[in-house]
Amino acid sequence: MIKKCLYMYRHFLVADLIYHSIWGDFMKFAEIEYFDDNIGMITTWFNSIYYPYSVKEKLMIGAEGYKICLNIPETSDKKSKERVLAKIKRFLLTNDIISVTGERFDGVYTSEGNVIKAAASADMAGTAKEAVIIGGNRELVEIILCSVCPHVKYVSIFTGENYVYNDVCRYLFTEYGITVQMMNSLRHENLKNADIVINCAELTDNYDYLLKNGCIYFDIANDKKRIRHIRKIRPDVRIINAVNVIFGGIKLTSEQAECAVYATDENFRRMAEGKADMKEKIKIIENIRMLGSIDKFYGFFDGV
């Protein structure tokens, strides 16, 4: 019965009662886009008052939501933009929308795709044996650790705050027998030997020339200046700075996928908000695949 329900869910045919029992409270998402064309000041003013946005319903990774087109350009004057965004905020509140892409609103989660990217780290690593994480946001680093540690032999973190990872390192050693090493210099031998370097920070340090020949450089921070430099001096390094998610044959960006999963999966919300411990994070990452939310992660270079 359980397998049957999961199969039905995977193909969007699961009954409402079963659907809610899997995901918990079912909320909605919204993709927000601005009007592309330069429509002029008078039309912008008119639209901001009488025709501020258009809405289409959208289904994505089993989540219900909306695609909202703001009928003004992103470069609109401040008053017109504030007028439209205030109306959008009311729409979000009255339609149970808790996650969005494309804009920021107080009390609503804005998906940047970084949590999905971090959860996909093991897929980006492939057959890599040694990984180095250049630390930034602590929560992202912990999600990366939960993703890669079950699959690699050696992990190191470059950080100036070793102490914040003490409990995490103890848990990973107990659970997987992996000793997570801390690096206080980017000239450390571990960086030179890493099969994959996962970057979560924008640093000024020049370490590009130290990367191992043929390694993978997975840039979650999307440090464009660094990426351009690596491409210039290290054509042997494989750069990944974007992740697509394949679900049911449909390709989604990491921002779209994160937005949809956040709306439907209460446990994923806990992880994205930094409320889950390491054991929970590992289980949440595993369950994303087990429940059929994600078929495949596909990492690529988007041409920055």
Side-chain angles (χ1 to χ4, degrees):
M1 180 62 181
I2 294 175
K3 289 183 178 179
K4 183 178 179 181
C5 289
L6 291 175
Y7 177 83
M8 293 170 71
Y9 162 73
R10 190 178 177 86
H11 292 80
F12 301 108
L13 299 176
V14 65
D16 223 23
L17 181 61
I18 298 172
Y19 202 87
H20 280 259
S21 69
I22 291 176
W23 291 112
D25 294 334
F26 191 75
M27 306 299 283
K28 296 179 181 178
F29 70 90
E31 289 184 82
I32 300 173
E33 297 180 351
Y34 283 87
F35 197 76
D36 287 336
D37 297 336
N38 184 1
I39 57 177
M41 291 179 62
I42 295 176
T43 307
T44 296
W45 171 84
F46 179 88
N47 285 356
S48 71
I49 297 173
Y50 300 107
Y51 187 47
Y53 61 88
S54 56
V55 178
K56 290 182 179 179
E57 293 185 349
K58 185 170 185 176
L59 187 67
M60 192 161 61
I61 312 189
E64 295 178 2
Y66 304 93
K67 186 168 185 177
I68 304 174
C69 179
L70 309 187
N71 294 323
I72 61 172
E74 192 169 3
T75 55
S76 299
D77 62 278
K78 184 178 179 181
K79 285 187 177 180
S80 294
K81 200 168 182 180
E82 287 177 348
R83 194 180 293 124
V84 171
L85 292 179
K87 294 175 181 179
I88 293 295
K89 181 63 182 292
R90 287 196 292 273
F91 179 86
L92 301 181
L93 292 174
T94 56
N95 287 276
D96 298 323
I97 295 169
I98 62 170
S99 58
V100 299
T101 62
E103 259 298 345
R104 293 185 178 274
F105 299 90
D106 292 339
V108 181
Y109 180 79
T110 300
S111 168
E112 296 180 343
N114 288 341
V115 176
I116 285 290
K117 286 181 182 179
S121 297
D123 297 70
M124 302 307 104
T127 59
K129 295 181 179 179
E130 186 162 349
V132 165
I133 303 168
I134 298 176
N137 180 283
R138 175 185 171 183
E139 291 300 327
L140 279 181
V141 171
E142 289 190 0
I143 294 171
I144 293 166
L145 286 170
C146 290
S147 179
V148 302
C149 278
H151 305 283
V152 301
K153 291 185 177 181
Y154 309 102
V155 180
S156 303
I157 304 174
F158 172 73
T159 176
E161 300 177 317
N162 297 8
Y163 62 93
V164 303
Y165 297 105
N166 287 343
D167 292 340
V168 172
C169 293
R170 277 194 291 269
Y171 175 81
L172 293 172
F173 179 77
T174 302
E175 193 72 16
Y176 298 105
I178 291 179
T179 300
V180 179
Q181 296 188 44
M182 298 297 166
M183 297 165 33
N184 57 14
S185 170
L186 287 168
R187 288 168 177 74
H188 198 285
E189 286 298 314
N190 289 4
L191 178 66
K192 300 175 184 179
N193 296 327
D195 302 301
I196 180 169
V197 175
I198 304 170
N199 181 45
C200 299
E202 292 191 18
L203 304 177
T204 58
D205 308 60
N206 180 17
Y207 58 84
D208 309 354
Y209 66 98
L210 295 171
L211 298 174
K212 181 180 178 180
N213 288 342
C215 77
I216 297 168
Y217 183 78
F218 182 27
D219 199 327
I220 293 177
N222 203 15
D223 184 346
K224 294 180 181 179
K225 184 177 180 181
R226 172 86 56 192
I227 291 171
R228 285 194 292 266
H229 190 244
I230 292 176
R231 281 177 58 79
K232 182 179 180 181
I233 70 166
R234 296 297 306 273
D236 59 297
V237 172
R238 182 191 172 195
I239 298 173
I240 299 174
N241 70 328
V243 173
N244 279 342
V245 173
I246 311 299
F247 175 75
I250 299 172
K251 185 187 295 183
L252 304 171
T253 66
S254 57
E255 291 86 355
Q256 290 176 315
E258 185 174 310
C259 192
V261 177
Y262 184 94
T264 54
D265 189 337
E266 185 177 353
N267 290 323
F268 185 86
R269 289 201 289 272
R270 282 175 47 77
M271 181 172 74
E273 294 167 0
K275 297 176 181 178
D277 61 26
M278 292 297 287
K279 187 175 182 180
E280 289 176 304
K281 287 173 183 172
I282 291 171
K283 189 170 182 63
I284 290 165
I285 292 169
E286 291 175 350
N287 284 348
I288 288 174
R289 292 183 178 84
M290 287 174 61
L291 289 178
S293 298
I294 306 296
D295 291 338
K296 182 181 178 182
F297 294 111
Y298 174 69
F300 63 99
F301 172 63
D302 70 359
V304 170

